[in-house]
Amino acid sequence: MLSLARLAAMIFKEFVQIRRDRPTFGMIVGIPLLQLLLFGFAINSDPKHLPTGVLDADHGPVGRAVVAAMRASGYFEVVADFVSEAEVEDALATGKTQFVVTVPADFSRRVLRGERPQLLVEADATDPAAAANALSALEKLADGAAARALAGPSASLRRAAAPFDLVVHRRYNPEGETAFNIVPGLMGVVLTMTMVIMTCLAVTRERERGTMESLLALPLRPVEVMLGKIVPYILIGYVQVLFILVAAKFLFAVPMQGSLILLSAATIVFITANLAVGFTFSTIAANQLQAVQMGFFFFLPSIMLSGFMFPFRGMPVWAQTVGECLPLTHFLRIVRGILLKGSGGAEILADLLAIAAFLAVAGAVALRRYRVTLD
Amino acid sequence: MTAAIAVRGLTKRFSGRAVVDGVDLTVGEGRIMGFLGPNGSGKTTTIRMLCGLLTVDAGEGTCLGLDIRREAAAIKRQAGYMTQRFSLYEDMTVAENLDFVARVHGIPGRRARVDEAVARLGLGDRRGQLAGSLSGGWKQRLALAAAILHRPRLLLLDEPTAGVDPKARREFWDRIHGFAAEGMTVLVSTHYMDEAERCHAIAYIAYGRLLTHGTVAEVVAATGLAAAVVTGGGEPRLIARLKALPGVETATAMGADAHVAGGDAAALAAALDGLARETGAAWRPEAPNLEDAFIHLMAQSRDNFAAGEA
Ligand SMILES: Nc1ncnc2c1ncn2[C@@H]1O[C@H](COP(=O)(O)OP(=O)(O)OP(=O)(O)O)[C@@H](O)[C@H]1O
Ligand SMILES: [Mg+2]
């Protein structure tokens, strides 16, 4: 049935073409690099010097002390002083400041009287990860700052846990995601993105350029064409994995507790599953543009609902259900499990089986839909 | 003589419209069959069905003794197909393209065979050049080289010489005849009359229906056309006047002279005599040619088609 010589011919041909296709070649290296830089550094590096505005209606020592302590933490940089609520709204809405501290009138006096007034910190939580660390630092430093301001005559108040209530308004408070969590996850994200789109393109390109006619006139079996298009990208996928693992170790010092061999084995199943999805799309898409659009159609839910962007357990049930059907969700658990928790075969088995099931379905659909004729 | 192609009632519909409609075609082994017909008449579609690239909606038959519906994979191993539009990989070099085809066919002594094909087609200087950067005529040569690389028993050529220069065209046809002499069967579509005349037999298709087939002489004779050459006499609007005459179906300028043809020899003679008296132009009978036959067939099929539609 399957002829290894013909399969080798397909694989060899694909490599010749990949080598010539500079932009795609660039994408293979560029996407992991870009994502590492964006997710690894830009987004998840502990952001500091965040623009902060202050509305101080108190003009008293305690409020000033709190603001000074915030500034000293390095997370907050006071860039504006406001006098009205309207200014506050505007600054947050336009993104001029990420935080606004509102010190109410009589704040210092009421603190001294022991009335526990409220200190309001509003955070622009559209990017919750960006504010998360700053906000957690805020809780600690507010206590100390107040304590210092109250030294001396009011020392008795220092015994209370906090002389005022810190009220933080934010719409979303994520679990503590760290680079350790993000970088291994990136492996799955990069593979999903490049593998699906690249196989999808590999087949539609044949159709769009008219080379499908010659290819179909050759005595190749569908499975030979399919594997011939998939195998080169498995190797490319491994290059990307290697790239990310090296970066994870040396750039981000991600711990690697488990077996890398086990990880490689799981990765090949995951890569192949994505390639099968790409191949299926390519049997539907009429041209390369549609292929890319379908790729994104698959990529977006993968990145959103897999637990990469948002904590999986924080998602509504319907989103979790969709997420469970996506191979990336399971792969993220496997990668994070192996690298961070040192999981072994037994722990990852369920997730690996889920990916394998996905692969079986996608592969069957791809083979069924692949036409050996032009109509 | 056994038939390399023998199909009956071959039909293909695209969204309900029969693009190829009940075509019967028989080509003997070692023969060169010219496949002619106006644009959109269904030549490419027919060829694609023969080599398993399109599913057949109705009809049956064999290529090389293999059923076209069930044994397409086996046919592909023994047939070479040269597509109308260049369809090899433009981002691969001449040698890489041929090497790929050779690998897929599992040709023994692959490198030597690729070298031989490159040399035979005069592609030697260009073997390392990207196929996409070849000129049109060179692309055609490469496509032909790829189609014959595995020494197929059946060669399906879809307008192989479109855009090829006269010398290369002649070489090409000499080669085709060489292959046929070795026993290869060739079905070649073309719009060139001189090429049709080089075939052992021709088949003419219009609106998806096979209208006539046979040798060139048979096809011309079957139309019952009469033709003549008209020598000008200085008449400036000769062609227009000729076309307006009753009994004249076609009139073509041949330098200062004109070639005319019509379905009725007597009517043609009467009309030309009348014109000669009026303008002083002279005329003499001539053998009708293949082009006359095709234009006649095309006009006829259009009438039939229009009648059928109405
Ligand atoms: N995939 C397709 N889908 C729909 N219609 C098609 C398809 N392929 C061909 N056709 C139609 O079938 C008819 C015959 O096309 P075909 O390409 O066989 O003509 P042809 O004789 O090769 O013409 P030409 O001399 O221009 O190459 C045309 O009207 C064309 O529009
Ligand atoms: Mg055609």
Side-chain angles (χ1 to χ4, degrees), chain A residues 202-281:
Chain A
V203 184
T204 28
R205 186 159 44 219
E206 299 261 7
R207 208 168 304 132
E208 201 169 299
R209 291 187 184 168
T211 53
M212 204 54 161
E213 201 176 352
S214 276
L215 191 67
L216 290 179
L218 290 172
L220 283 161
R221 294 185 177 279
V223 61
E224 289 159 359
V225 174
M226 189 165 141
L227 286 179
K229 296 250 170 218
I230 281 179
V231 170
Y233 294 103
I234 292 182
L235 296 177
I236 286 170
Y238 267 108
V239 172
Q240 293 184 324
V241 167
L242 198 68
F243 189 85
I244 294 173
L245 280 179
V246 168
K249 184 149 185 71
F250 297 106
L251 225 52
F252 299 96
V254 173
M256 297 191 182
Q257 310 279 357
S259 151
L260 289 182
I261 294 174
L262 182 63
L263 182 60
S264 310
T267 304
I268 199 168
V269 182
F270 176 67
I271 291 178
T272 316
N274 280 304
L275 292 174
V277 172
F279 202 90
T280 305
F281 285 167

Side-chain angles (χ1 to χ4, degrees), chain B residues 72-204:
Chain B
I75 294 174
K76 287 176 185 179
R77 277 196 282 278
Q78 299 184 60
Y81 171 40
M82 178 176 166
T83 56
Q84 178 171 2
R85 202 184 130 210
F86 184 72
S87 60
L88 293 173
Y89 296 98
E90 304 216 334
D91 53 354
M92 297 189 1
T93 66
V94 168
E96 284 164 353
N97 267 298
L98 293 174
D99 195 61
F100 169 59
V101 173
R103 277 173 191 262
V104 169
H105 281 295
I107 294 175
R110 193 180 82 238
R111 278 170 215 284
R113 283 279 282 279
V114 169
D115 288 343
E116 181 200 311
V118 165
R120 184 131 72 129
L121 286 142
L123 286 162
D125 300 340
R126 293 176 170 78
R127 63 173 295 147
Q129 191 175 334
L130 290 186
S133 68
L134 292 173
S135 73
W138 283 106
K139 278 185 186 163
Q140 298 290 88
R141 295 194 203 192
L142 170 59
L144 180 68
I148 59 168
L149 198 58
H150 60 298
R151 300 197 182 128
R153 289 171 55 206
L154 172 64
L155 196 51
L156 302 167
L157 306 171
D158 200 354
E159 298 192 30
T161 56
V164 172
D165 69 52
K167 179 167 170 286
R169 217 143 69 87
R170 173 162 299 180
E171 287 166 7
F172 175 89
W173 274 96
D174 289 346
R175 205 170 298 128
I176 297 289
H177 274 277
F179 293 148
E182 291 167 16
M184 195 187 282
T185 308
V186 183
L187 178 68
V188 51
S189 81
T190 178
H191 290 294
Y192 297 119
M193 293 306 132
D194 62 314
E195 293 192 345
E197 280 164 1
R198 286 165 169 266
C199 298
H200 295 127
I202 56 173
Y204 185 85

Side-chain angles (χ1 to χ4, degrees), chain A residues 25 32 38 44 74 124 154 160 187 210 250 275 317 319 352 359 375:
Chain A
F25 207 66
L38 292 182
N44 213 55
D124 175 0
S154 331
M187 211 151 91
F250 297 106
L275 292 174
V317 175
L352 193 59
L359 167 61
D375 51 359

Side-chain angles (χ1 to χ4, degrees), chain A residues 200-201 204-205 208 285-296:
Chain A
C200 197
L201 285 181
T204 28
R205 186 159 44 219
E208 201 169 299
N287 54 48
Q288 294 190 60
L289 182 64
Q290 284 182 12
V292 172
Q293 286 168 340
M294 286 183 189
F296 271 95

Side-chain angles (χ1 to χ4, degrees), chain A residues 374-375, chain B residues 14-15 17 19-20 37-46 48 54 84 158-159 189 191 205:
Chain A
L374 290 168
D375 51 359
Chain B
F14 284 121
S15 29
R17 191 169 64 98
V19 158
V20 172
N39 291 133
S41 54
K43 301 183 293 298
T44 300
T45 307
T46 304
R48 283 175 174 168
L54 285 175
Q84 178 171 2
D158 200 354
E159 298 192 30
S189 81
H191 290 294
I205 187 174

Side-chain angles (χ1 to χ4, degrees), chain A residues 142-163:
Chain A
D143 292 3
R148 250 173 276 120
L150 297 175
S154 331
S156 61
L157 284 164
R158 289 170 73 173
R159 260 166 280 140

